[in-house]
Amino acid sequence: MLTEIIFIKKLHPNAVIPSYGTEFAAGADLYACIDNPISIQPQETVLIPTGIALEIPAGYVGLVYARSGLAVKRGLAPANQVGVIDSDYRGELLVPLFNHSSDLQEVAPQERIAQIIFTPYLKGFFTETDTLNDTKRQDGGFGSTGKF
């Protein structure tokens, strides 16, 4: 398991520093920084502030994912599926929570609303070509590897 220092700035006094639920958790929980509960109607997206800004090291990206319990039990998950926080972004982390359920959902102050995973990334250098190397799969698309 790799570790890296992530500098964090609290933008609001009630902001909660992200935390890991267990010793081997890959994702750190992000918390709602709100003064009062926020209601999210079915099929509605609401931006939930976290009250924090991060300094992610160069060469790393923060990926914001759903918390599995929140998604499965209440139908709340990031509207963009996976949020990408680039290392040069210094603004507040906002989580666009979408209500997939058919019931009104409420987010409480300091509730865990998403999780963030930090990972190194490879930056591609794109070079145009007229040909690509052949593979067994070639241009077989969706479901092409699951054929009997």
Side-chain angles (χ1 to χ4, degrees):
M1 166 179 12
L2 300 174
T3 59
E4 189 74 33
I5 293 174
I6 307 292
F7 291 106
I8 187 166
K9 181 178 180 180
K10 278 183 140 185
L11 304 174
H12 189 282
N14 293 338
V16 178
I17 302 293
S19 64
Y20 293 93
T22 67
E23 178 184 1
F24 296 106
D29 290 327
L30 295 174
Y31 297 81
C33 185
I34 52 180
D35 295 326
N36 299 300
I38 292 179
S39 296
I40 306 176
Q41 297 291 332
Q43 307 306 303
E44 179 184 35
T45 299
V46 175
L47 279 176
I48 307 293
T50 64
I52 61 169
L54 301 176
E55 185 176 319
I56 300 171
Y60 286 79
V61 62
L63 300 173
V64 178
Y65 294 96
R67 293 193 69 254
S68 58
L70 198 63
V72 170
K73 295 176 183 175
R74 295 177 44 207
L76 294 174
N80 53 345
Q81 306 301 314
V82 177
V84 176
I85 312 299
D86 296 314
S87 63
D88 58 350
Y89 177 67
R90 295 293 183 270
E92 181 177 12
L93 267 62
L94 301 170
V95 177
L97 276 187
F98 180 78
N99 182 356
H100 292 272
S101 80
S102 57
D103 300 317
L104 176 74
Q105 296 294 327
E106 195 169 89
V107 175
Q110 298 187 337
E111 182 175 353
R112 296 175 298 168
I113 55 169
Q115 60 182 322
I116 188 167
I117 296 175
F118 302 100
T119 187
Y121 64 89
L122 176 70
K123 191 156 192 165
F125 180 77
F126 300 99
T127 303
E128 189 174 357
T129 183
D130 292 329
T131 60
L132 300 174
N133 291 333
D134 287 336
T135 68
K136 184 176 178 182
R137 182 177 183 176
Q138 282 301 88
D139 62 354
F142 299 105
S144 65
T145 62
K147 294 180 181 175
F148 290 96

